Amino acid sequence: MNEYMKIALTFDDGPSERTVEILEILREKDVKATFFVVNTGNVDIIRDIVADGHAIGVHSTTHSYRDIYASDEAFFRDFETMHNIIYEKTGVQTTLMRFPGGSSNTVSATYCQGIMTRLAQKVTDYGLQYFDWNVNSLDAGGVQTADEVFYHVSRGIANHRYSVVLQHDIYGYSVDAVEKIIQWGLEKGVTFLPLDPTSPTCHQRIAN
């Protein structure tokens, strides 16, 4: 590994009470990350996310697959609600987003056939940038300890020149792994960067 390797740490489904801990770690390490947010009970924390210079994007308002993927119109209603919340709280008109479940999700087919194919094209046409990932911490299923999260993230990063890492800032064990991941990366000489509209999106293969 060397300075030419770049890592984008991304966190989905927050903000939560544990997000505050991540922000403190990021301040101490002088690292910027990206948060794809939901309308949680801790949504005011997005002000601190933006004030600290991190990137922010829309994940969803409800994260309810049944509601979000009922139709194209339902998706955009949900999207616009969260987009407006971000703007009202921070003044940021973000164009960054991540589909709930990622663009490759198949659960959407349960509610609306072909919706991901249509949405991926529509959001791009509207000037939005959707981001998937190429490194999965597996914190949303399969692991339940900070050591396991670190293992999957560090192993995944080693396989890419540019890594978009998926974590969730609602799981304590994943939050507990963040400092170790950053320290490991800094010792390897990699660069941590927030996402922006020009960043590689790591699009996955759409399956619906």
Side-chain angles (χ1 to χ4, degrees):
M1 291 190 183
N2 55 52
E3 67 272 18
Y4 298 108
M5 296 188 72
K6 296 178 173 60
I7 301 172
L9 297 177
T10 72
F11 300 95
D12 286 9
D13 294 1
S16 74
E17 294 178 356
R18 299 300 301 267
T19 305
V20 176
E21 298 174 39
I22 294 179
L23 292 176
E24 182 59 33
I25 293 168
L26 295 172
R27 289 187 202 110
E28 291 176 356
K29 299 297 185 181
D30 193 25
V31 165
K32 303 302 181 187
T34 303
F35 294 81
F36 291 103
V37 295
V38 177
N39 188 26
T40 69
N42 300 281
V43 72
D44 284 347
I45 295 172
I46 66 176
R47 293 192 180 104
D48 297 324
I49 291 172
V50 171
D52 281 4
H54 304 294
I56 194 161
V58 174
H59 196 33
S60 73
T61 303
T62 64
H63 212 297
S64 168
Y65 294 124
R66 178 184 300 275
D67 296 329
I68 294 167
Y69 294 132
S71 66
D72 298 19
E73 294 76 18
F75 172 83
F76 282 107
R77 283 196 300 270
D78 180 275
F79 174 89
E80 289 171 6
T81 299
M82 193 65 227
H83 188 273
N84 290 339
I85 290 171
I86 292 172
Y87 178 69
E88 290 166 3
K89 298 289 186 182
T90 69
V92 172
Q93 291 271 20
T94 185
T95 60
L96 312 182
M97 59 165 293
R98 176 172 282 157
F99 290 111
S103 68
S104 61
N105 82 79
T106 56
V107 67
S108 57
T110 304
Y111 311 110
C112 189
Q113 283 291 329
I115 190 171
M116 297 313 303
T117 299
R118 296 192 301 274
L119 291 179
Q121 186 60 57
K122 285 182 177 181
V123 299
T124 301
D125 291 345
Y126 294 160
L128 303 171
Q129 299 82 38
Y130 75 89
F131 291 86
D132 290 316
W133 57 89
N134 59 3
V135 176
N136 192 343
S137 67
L138 298 181
D139 63 353
V143 305
Q144 291 188 335
T145 70
D147 285 343
E148 289 174 306
V149 171
F150 171 76
Y151 170 76
H152 287 288
V153 171
S154 58
R155 186 178 69 169
I157 289 170
N159 294 324
H160 302 285
R161 299 285 292 179
Y162 182 87
S163 298
V164 177
V165 179
L166 173 64
Q167 286 187 255
H168 297 76
D169 49 334
I170 60 173
Y171 301 121
Y173 52 85
S174 196
V175 173
D176 291 341
V178 171
E179 186 169 8
K180 187 175 181 180
I181 291 167
I182 293 174
Q183 188 60 42
W184 173 84
L186 293 174
E187 290 173 356
K188 299 293 185 182
V190 304
T191 301
F192 289 94
L193 295 171
L195 297 175
D196 66 41
T198 68
S199 300
T201 52
C202 296
H203 287 170
Q204 298 169 354
R205 187 178 67 83
I206 294 174
N208 177 29

